[in-house]
Amino acid sequence: MSTAEHENLISMARLYETAQRAYSAIPYHFFKGGYSFPAWHYYFEVTRRCNLRCRMCQYIEWLENMPATQQKEGELTTEEWHHVIDQAGRLSFITFTGGEPFVRQDFLELLQHASRKARTHFISNTTLLTEDRAEAVVALAPKKMGRLGLNFAGTSIEAPGELHDEIRQMPGAFERSMNGVRLLRIYREKAGKSCPAIHVTTVLQTASIDVLHLMPKLLKEAGVDVMNLVTETRIFDVPGFGERDPVSYRRDEVHWPKIERGKLAQALDTTIANAKSAGIEIRLPRMPREALLDYYDQGLHLGQFECRNPWNTLIVGRQGDAYPCWLVKIGNVREHTLKELWNNLTVREFRQTCQKHLFAVCPGCCFLEHKTRRKY
């Protein structure tokens, strides 16, 4: 990707965030009764199955305890996913995620179907991204960012080499994931495209904090455009998560991750400096540096944060359950259309609560945003 294309990527990412905030601003501040404009960003969790067993995965207990023969039960069929995709608006942005999407034999078909109708994005561990698959997904990408088709491709890499393999609990996972990234870059260059832009997510965690500073150079050399640093969260470990009334959750029910404050501060500073030197864009959680340090030290002050995600985003799980946030289920796409679900009574009541206060389990969520974000 050329310097001009990289700058365009950064500009498009900032434009997306600005547009998302603007889109939610009017209903968030002025609409009564919790109503919102139509959903803009859809997350389609096409499967929970995965070929890895990442230690910090939200589904690790399910993956380890659910027999493989039963893990596929209840997943939406190809035809059902087509029907869901067809309900998304032409201006929508669709993210496919899992589990690992490529364990579904029909995933390329689903991605192709969606890419003809909307701007798309997939998140994969890229260990299953063969040459044929890499060439096929790049063929779905537009030449320039922002047009219909596959705009972004994402993966997660936690650390260099064997440490990544240990966290992923799969020997060779690092090299297989990096090879998938390289294949995307190679076929993108062959096609003369700037898309899909490639991003890598790295979780800030004790196991890899000492080698975090090595990541920017490794990722840049592989062809990665953006490195996302995200907070580790253990909220999915809470009993009854997604089924209970969100107000009932207590902070002490979550095993909050810890990293020594000075060590985290040094790792962040060095990693940011190395990213600048390597020429790779680095993105941090949506909060000031001190708040990020607080998260792993003493916890966040929720009064300083807000979440507008329920006004923008609709998540559809593998079995069709729909959520504006994983905290509350609002119905199922096998029984209702996306339009019917989006402003039903359950989601409107949830939005009204979010306007008043957040919940004890919200810290660590990627969608949480500091109220001063626009100022720094």
Side-chain angles (χ1 to χ4, degrees), residues 34-49:
Y35 284 93
S36 182
F37 295 135
W40 182 19
H41 193 169
Y42 293 93
Y43 280 84
F44 293 157
E45 180 200 58
V46 292
T47 187
R48 190 176 290 183
R49 292 174 286 147

Side-chain angles (χ1 to χ4, degrees), residues 68-244:
T69 54
Q70 298 178 28
Q71 291 183 7
K72 188 178 179 180
E73 291 182 0
E75 288 184 354
L76 295 181
T77 65
T78 306
E79 292 72 23
E80 286 176 318
W81 274 118
H82 277 215
H83 180 60
V84 172
I85 290 167
D86 288 343
Q87 295 175 58
R90 189 173 178 81
L91 297 179
S92 301
F93 186 72
I94 297 175
T95 293
F96 288 97
T97 183
E100 169 49 51
F102 281 100
V103 302
R104 282 190 65 126
Q105 296 302 308
D106 62 354
F107 176 59
L108 277 176
E109 179 183 341
L110 298 180
L111 183 62
Q112 182 180 37
H113 186 73
S115 295
R116 289 195 295 263
K117 300 172 178 292
R119 292 152 190 83
T120 58
H121 166 219
F122 71 77
I123 300 173
S124 160
N125 61 45
T126 62
T127 61
L128 302 177
L129 197 63
T130 62
E131 287 202 35
D132 288 346
R133 285 174 170 173
E135 185 175 18
V137 299
V138 170
L140 302 177
K143 283 191 173 294
K144 294 184 178 181
M145 192 75 61
R147 298 177 180 175
L148 295 183
L150 182 66
N151 277 244
F152 299 94
T155 189
S156 297
I157 299 177
E158 306 304 332
E162 293 182 0
L163 180 54
H164 174 86
D165 295 352
E166 180 182 337
I167 295 171
R168 290 280 189 257
Q169 300 194 76
M170 177 182 174
F174 174 78
E175 186 51 42
R176 289 177 64 177
S177 289
M178 292 291 276
N179 187 60
V181 169
R182 295 186 195 103
L183 288 172
L184 286 174
R185 182 203 67 203
I186 289 169
Y187 282 104
R188 185 178 70 183
E189 291 176 350
K190 283 184 177 180
K193 297 179 176 180
S194 60
C195 295
I198 305 167
H199 68 83
V200 162
T201 296
T202 301
V203 177
L204 295 168
Q205 56 184 306
T206 301
S208 57
I209 197 66
D210 290 333
V211 295
L212 185 67
H213 66 284
L214 302 176
M215 294 294 290
K217 185 173 184 292
L218 285 173
L219 298 181
K220 180 64 177 180
E221 290 174 348
V224 175
D225 303 303
V226 178
M227 179 182 181
N228 293 319
L229 297 181
V230 300
T231 49
E232 179 182 0
T233 179
R234 301 309 317 169
I235 59 175
F236 291 90
D237 298 340
V238 177
F241 185 82
E243 302 292 336
R244 289 165 50 182

Side-chain angles (χ1 to χ4, degrees), residues 20-37 302-312 342-343 348 350-358 367-371 374:
Q20 188 178 48
R21 286 193 61 84
Y23 189 78
S24 64
I26 292 176
Y28 180 84
H29 290 293
F30 302 110
F31 282 14
K32 295 181 179 180
Y35 284 93
S36 182
F37 295 135
L302 275 179
Q304 299 174 351
F305 290 82
E306 66 182 16
C307 180
R308 296 189 187 178
N309 201 55
W311 283 262
N312 287 316
W342 181 241
N343 274 316
R348 286 189 282 114
F350 179 69
R351 290 185 189 126
Q352 288 176 296
T353 304
C354 290
Q355 286 174 315
K356 299 172 186 175
H357 62 79
L358 298 179
F367 299 117
L368 202 65
E369 185 169 352
H370 200 273
K371 292 179 179 178
R374 287 166 290 177

